[in-house]
Amino acid sequence: MTKNIYKAHTALLGANLIYGVNYIIAKGIMPDKIGPSAFVFIRIVCGTLLFWSFKSFIKEKVARKDLWRLALCGLLGSAANQLLFFHGINLTSPIDASIIMTTTPVIVLIFSVFLLKERITSRKLLGITIGSIGAIALILYGNSSGGTSSFLGNLFVFLNASCYGLYLVVAKPLMKKYNALTVISWVFLFGLVFMLPLGLPDFIDTNFSGFDLNTYLVIGFVVVFTTFLAYLFNIYALNYVSPSVNSSYIYLQPAISFIMVSIYAHVLMQDQYANDINLVKICCCLMVIVGVYLLSKASMKKA
């Protein structure tokens, strides 16, 4: 059992390393090589094929009455959140995006209070307040911070985190009822349906003749690692560690993003990232982390 727990923590580390480097890697080919909508379309098509290939080994049927909830999850957790994220990261700094994404546990709690009638304690309220102030300050700071940051990009990433947070709340009853791989397979299938009218035209208009090896490698990384393997790592880890432990690894993402941006700016000499790290962003990051930490501590006490 101890060996499995070590493997679970290794899987969580791997998943969050993937998420952390994804911010700057995915941004690297947009919009010069491919537009955000076309990129998301490719990601959802490939993700759907991969998840359903593995789903074929799980003989589990979904009740007709649950299809509407799966469709809503497909809209929130696949189409809308990925579309908003890629348009957001296209416009803003990987640093800003990674910090804003760590507000997801705060957003989940807010939706849980209203939709699941979860009780809110003073510690949770304090966590929500501190984390929200940090996130809102960072979003508003976008246009005046220099570097690759922008208010609109930050807003898109925050809306992405909100969609994903609501998706987690809506999907909670399904995760208790079905195998997680069954749920995510249906989520991606419905997400593909929603993305068709938005992503297909941009996909068709994409100049694939302009793709180089780096473009294909980035797309491959996002499809295989960020979309598929990172999710499987999280599923595996949840078999051996609690959700609160799982979510605590989200703290790694801004740290990894800070390191990646520093490498790109000062080692690879990509000057557009040189002003992406400053004291204001570090303070906002610390506020968000403190807020999420207070929430996780409150959740562990409840458990």
Short mmCIF file of all heavy atoms in Angstrom, two decimals, residues 265-294:
data_model
loop_
_atom_site.label_atom_id
_atom_site.label_comp_id
_atom_site.label_asym_id
_atom_site.label_seq_id
_atom_site.Cartn_x
_atom_site.Cartn_y
_atom_site.Cartn_z
N ALA A 265 12.84 33.64 -20.83
CA ALA A 265 13.24 35.05 -20.88
C ALA A 265 14.75 35.24 -20.78
O ALA A 265 15.33 36.05 -21.52
CB ALA A 265 12.54 35.82 -19.76
N HIS A 266 15.40 34.49 -19.88
CA HIS A 266 16.80 34.78 -19.57
C HIS A 266 17.80 33.75 -20.11
O HIS A 266 18.99 34.05 -20.21
CB HIS A 266 16.96 34.90 -18.05
CG HIS A 266 16.06 35.92 -17.44
ND1 HIS A 266 16.14 37.25 -17.74
CD2 HIS A 266 15.03 35.79 -16.55
CE1 HIS A 266 15.21 37.92 -17.06
NE2 HIS A 266 14.52 37.06 -16.34
N VAL A 267 17.32 32.56 -20.47
CA VAL A 267 18.21 31.56 -21.04
C VAL A 267 18.02 31.47 -22.55
O VAL A 267 18.98 31.51 -23.32
CB VAL A 267 17.98 30.17 -20.39
CG1 VAL A 267 18.88 29.13 -21.04
CG2 VAL A 267 18.24 30.24 -18.90
N LEU A 268 16.76 31.38 -22.98
CA LEU A 268 16.45 31.31 -24.41
C LEU A 268 16.33 32.69 -25.04
O LEU A 268 16.10 32.80 -26.25
CB LEU A 268 15.16 30.50 -24.62
CG LEU A 268 15.18 29.07 -24.09
CD1 LEU A 268 13.84 28.39 -24.33
CD2 LEU A 268 16.32 28.28 -24.72
N MET A 269 16.44 33.74 -24.21
CA MET A 269 16.45 35.13 -24.67
C MET A 269 15.20 35.52 -25.47
O MET A 269 15.29 36.21 -26.48
CB MET A 269 17.71 35.40 -25.53
CG MET A 269 19.01 35.19 -24.78
SD MET A 269 19.10 36.21 -23.28
CE MET A 269 20.64 35.66 -22.56
N GLN A 270 14.04 35.05 -25.03
CA GLN A 270 12.79 35.49 -25.63
C GLN A 270 12.29 36.70 -24.83
O GLN A 270 11.62 36.57 -23.80
CB GLN A 270 11.77 34.35 -25.65
CG GLN A 270 12.23 33.18 -26.51
CD GLN A 270 11.09 32.24 -26.89
OE1 GLN A 270 9.92 32.60 -26.80
NE2 GLN A 270 11.44 31.04 -27.32
N ASP A 271 12.60 37.89 -25.34
CA ASP A 271 12.44 39.12 -24.58
C ASP A 271 11.00 39.45 -24.21
O ASP A 271 10.75 40.21 -23.28
CB ASP A 271 13.03 40.31 -25.37
CG ASP A 271 14.53 40.18 -25.55
OD1 ASP A 271 15.16 39.48 -24.73
OD2 ASP A 271 15.07 40.76 -26.51
N GLN A 272 10.03 38.89 -24.95
CA GLN A 272 8.63 39.22 -24.65
C GLN A 272 8.20 38.76 -23.26
O GLN A 272 7.22 39.25 -22.71
CB GLN A 272 7.69 38.62 -25.71
CG GLN A 272 7.57 37.09 -25.71
CD GLN A 272 8.57 36.44 -26.64
OE1 GLN A 272 9.66 36.95 -26.83
NE2 GLN A 272 8.18 35.30 -27.22
N TYR A 273 8.96 37.81 -22.68
CA TYR A 273 8.62 37.30 -21.36
C TYR A 273 9.42 37.97 -20.23
O TYR A 273 9.23 37.65 -19.06
CB TYR A 273 8.86 35.79 -21.28
CG TYR A 273 7.99 34.99 -22.21
CD1 TYR A 273 8.53 34.32 -23.31
CD2 TYR A 273 6.61 34.90 -22.00
CE1 TYR A 273 7.73 33.58 -24.17
CE2 TYR A 273 5.80 34.17 -22.86
CZ TYR A 273 6.37 33.51 -23.94
OH TYR A 273 5.58 32.79 -24.79
N ALA A 274 10.32 38.90 -20.59
CA ALA A 274 11.25 39.47 -19.61
C ALA A 274 10.54 40.22 -18.48
O ALA A 274 11.04 40.27 -17.35
CB ALA A 274 12.24 40.40 -20.32
N ASN A 275 9.37 40.83 -18.78
CA ASN A 275 8.66 41.63 -17.77
C ASN A 275 7.45 40.90 -17.17
O ASN A 275 6.60 41.52 -16.55
CB ASN A 275 8.19 42.96 -18.38
CG ASN A 275 9.35 43.83 -18.81
OD1 ASN A 275 10.35 43.91 -18.11
ND2 ASN A 275 9.23 44.45 -19.98
N ASP A 276 7.40 39.58 -17.38
CA ASP A 276 6.22 38.83 -16.92
C ASP A 276 6.24 38.53 -15.42
O ASP A 276 5.22 38.16 -14.85
CB ASP A 276 6.10 37.50 -17.69
CG ASP A 276 5.38 37.68 -19.01
OD1 ASP A 276 4.89 38.80 -19.27
OD2 ASP A 276 5.31 36.72 -19.79
N ILE A 277 7.41 38.64 -14.79
CA ILE A 277 7.50 38.38 -13.35
C ILE A 277 7.84 39.67 -12.63
O ILE A 277 8.82 40.34 -12.96
CB ILE A 277 8.58 37.32 -13.05
CG1 ILE A 277 8.27 36.00 -13.77
CG2 ILE A 277 8.69 37.07 -11.55
CD1 ILE A 277 9.35 34.95 -13.63
N ASN A 278 7.00 40.06 -11.67
CA ASN A 278 7.29 41.24 -10.86
C ASN A 278 6.70 41.04 -9.47
O ASN A 278 6.02 40.05 -9.19
CB ASN A 278 6.78 42.52 -11.52
CG ASN A 278 5.28 42.47 -11.81
OD1 ASN A 278 4.50 42.04 -10.97
ND2 ASN A 278 4.89 42.90 -13.00
N LEU A 279 6.92 42.02 -8.60
CA LEU A 279 6.51 41.90 -7.20
C LEU A 279 5.00 41.81 -7.05
O LEU A 279 4.49 41.06 -6.20
CB LEU A 279 7.05 43.10 -6.41
CG LEU A 279 6.79 43.07 -4.89
CD1 LEU A 279 7.43 41.83 -4.26
CD2 LEU A 279 7.34 44.34 -4.24
N VAL A 280 4.26 42.56 -7.86
CA VAL A 280 2.78 42.53 -7.76
C VAL A 280 2.25 41.13 -8.05
O VAL A 280 1.39 40.62 -7.33
CB VAL A 280 2.15 43.56 -8.74
CG1 VAL A 280 0.63 43.43 -8.73
CG2 VAL A 280 2.56 44.98 -8.36
N LYS A 281 2.78 40.50 -9.09
CA LYS A 281 2.31 39.15 -9.44
C LYS A 281 2.68 38.14 -8.37
O LYS A 281 1.90 37.24 -8.06
CB LYS A 281 2.89 38.73 -10.80
CG LYS A 281 2.35 39.54 -11.96
CD LYS A 281 2.85 38.99 -13.28
CE LYS A 281 2.32 39.82 -14.44
NZ LYS A 281 2.70 39.28 -15.75
N ILE A 282 3.86 38.29 -7.80
CA ILE A 282 4.27 37.40 -6.72
C ILE A 282 3.35 37.54 -5.51
O ILE A 282 2.93 36.55 -4.90
CB ILE A 282 5.74 37.67 -6.32
CG1 ILE A 282 6.67 37.28 -7.46
CG2 ILE A 282 6.11 36.91 -5.05
CD1 ILE A 282 8.12 37.68 -7.25
N CYS A 283 2.99 38.80 -5.18
CA CYS A 283 2.07 39.04 -4.05
C CYS A 283 0.69 38.46 -4.34
O CYS A 283 0.06 37.85 -3.46
CB CYS A 283 1.97 40.55 -3.77
SG CYS A 283 3.46 41.25 -3.06
N CYS A 284 0.19 38.65 -5.57
CA CYS A 284 -1.11 38.08 -5.95
C CYS A 284 -1.08 36.56 -5.86
O CYS A 284 -2.03 35.92 -5.38
CB CYS A 284 -1.48 38.50 -7.37
SG CYS A 284 -1.89 40.25 -7.56
N CYS A 285 0.03 35.98 -6.31
CA CYS A 285 0.19 34.52 -6.26
C CYS A 285 0.15 34.02 -4.82
O CYS A 285 -0.53 33.04 -4.51
CB CYS A 285 1.50 34.12 -6.93
SG CYS A 285 1.78 32.33 -6.99
N LEU A 286 0.85 34.71 -3.93
CA LEU A 286 0.88 34.31 -2.52
C LEU A 286 -0.51 34.41 -1.89
O LEU A 286 -0.90 33.56 -1.09
CB LEU A 286 1.88 35.17 -1.75
CG LEU A 286 3.37 34.92 -2.07
CD1 LEU A 286 4.24 35.93 -1.34
CD2 LEU A 286 3.77 33.50 -1.69
N MET A 287 -1.27 35.46 -2.26
CA MET A 287 -2.63 35.61 -1.72
C MET A 287 -3.53 34.46 -2.16
O MET A 287 -4.30 33.92 -1.36
CB MET A 287 -3.22 36.95 -2.16
CG MET A 287 -2.59 38.16 -1.51
SD MET A 287 -3.40 39.72 -1.96
CE MET A 287 -4.94 39.54 -1.07
N VAL A 288 -3.43 34.10 -3.44
CA VAL A 288 -4.25 32.99 -3.95
C VAL A 288 -3.87 31.68 -3.25
O VAL A 288 -4.73 30.91 -2.83
CB VAL A 288 -4.09 32.86 -5.48
CG1 VAL A 288 -4.78 31.58 -5.97
CG2 VAL A 288 -4.68 34.07 -6.18
N ILE A 289 -2.56 31.45 -3.10
CA ILE A 289 -2.10 30.22 -2.46
C ILE A 289 -2.55 30.15 -1.00
O ILE A 289 -3.00 29.11 -0.52
CB ILE A 289 -0.56 30.11 -2.55
CG1 ILE A 289 -0.16 29.78 -3.99
CG2 ILE A 289 -0.02 29.04 -1.61
CD1 ILE A 289 1.33 29.78 -4.23
N VAL A 290 -2.46 31.28 -0.28
CA VAL A 290 -2.93 31.32 1.11
C VAL A 290 -4.43 31.03 1.17
O VAL A 290 -4.90 30.26 2.03
CB VAL A 290 -2.61 32.68 1.75
CG1 VAL A 290 -3.33 32.83 3.09
CG2 VAL A 290 -1.11 32.83 1.97
N GLY A 291 -5.19 31.62 0.24
CA GLY A 291 -6.64 31.38 0.22
C GLY A 291 -6.99 29.93 -0.02
O GLY A 291 -7.82 29.34 0.69
N VAL A 292 -6.32 29.32 -1.00
CA VAL A 292 -6.58 27.91 -1.30
C VAL A 292 -6.11 27.01 -0.15
O VAL A 292 -6.76 26.00 0.18
CB VAL A 292 -5.89 27.51 -2.63
CG1 VAL A 292 -6.05 26.01 -2.89
CG2 VAL A 292 -6.46 28.29 -3.79
N TYR A 293 -5.01 27.38 0.47
CA TYR A 293 -4.50 26.61 1.61
C TYR A 293 -5.52 26.61 2.76
O TYR A 293 -5.79 25.56 3.37
CB TYR A 293 -3.18 27.20 2.09
CG TYR A 293 -2.66 26.57 3.37
CD1 TYR A 293 -2.07 25.31 3.37
CD2 TYR A 293 -2.80 27.22 4.60
CE1 TYR A 293 -1.60 24.73 4.53
CE2 TYR A 293 -2.34 26.65 5.77
CZ TYR A 293 -1.74 25.41 5.74
OH TYR A 293 -1.29 24.83 6.90
N LEU A 294 -6.10 27.78 3.05
CA LEU A 294 -7.12 27.86 4.11
C LEU A 294 -8.33 26.99 3.78
O LEU A 294 -8.90 26.33 4.66
CB LEU A 294 -7.55 29.30 4.32
CG LEU A 294 -6.50 30.23 4.97
CD1 LEU A 294 -6.98 31.67 4.94
CD2 LEU A 294 -6.22 29.79 6.40
#
